[in-house]
Amino acid sequence: MTILLYFIVFMVISLIVKAVLLVIYKDKEKLDKGFIFPYIRLSYRRKMIRTLWTFPLILVGLIVIYLYGELNIMWNLTLLMVTLFLTFLQLANSYKKWKKYECG
């Protein structure tokens, strides 16, 4: 299988899991204290905090992929840039929504 096929399969599975979790946790209260595994149940403040502390773990994973993967340098740079961009978007979105709901 090519890397593109792995990526597509992973994205489809991720979207299905997210849709199921959205239905399950639709009317549940968002939590702002402590640790909880389902990302969907977190408040926007906690989502931002989780994004900040998982980012170094993501970078370590990308370094491992670079060192032990069979991808060329262009794929590695593309993967790194896309990951940085999406993490920044997620962080900015969580911060914006946190401030919006904090002010009322």
Side-chain angles (χ1 to χ4, degrees):
M1 291 174 80
T2 65
I3 187 112
L4 186 58
L5 188 55
Y6 283 125
F7 180 74
I8 291 171
V9 169
F10 176 75
M11 291 304 292
V12 169
I13 291 172
S14 297
L15 290 173
I16 291 170
V17 168
K18 181 162 181 148
V20 168
L21 288 176
L22 281 172
V23 170
I24 291 173
Y25 293 116
K26 181 179 178 185
D27 296 324
K28 302 280 184 177
E29 181 182 349
K30 304 293 184 191
L31 300 178
D32 195 34
K33 295 202 185 266
F35 179 80
I36 187 162
F37 185 71
Y39 188 78
I40 294 171
R41 289 203 54 205
L42 294 174
S43 67
Y44 288 114
R45 178 181 160 276
R46 295 299 293 180
K47 286 181 181 182
M48 187 184 75
I49 291 169
R50 184 178 283 186
T51 301
L52 285 173
W53 70 260
T54 57
F55 183 68
L57 299 175
I58 293 169
L59 285 180
V60 168
L62 289 173
I63 291 169
V64 168
I65 289 172
Y66 174 72
L67 293 176
Y68 296 109
E70 296 178 3
L71 300 175
N72 62 19
I73 190 72
M74 202 54 144
W75 274 104
N76 286 324
L77 288 176
T78 304
L79 188 61
L80 179 64
M81 296 306 287
V82 168
T83 303
L84 290 173
F85 179 71
L86 291 176
T87 304
F88 174 75
L89 282 180
Q90 182 178 2
L91 188 63
N93 184 43
S94 295
Y95 180 77
K96 184 178 87 170
K97 288 188 176 188
W98 169 40
K99 289 300 180 181
K100 177 183 173 185
Y101 287 110
E102 184 181 76
C103 293

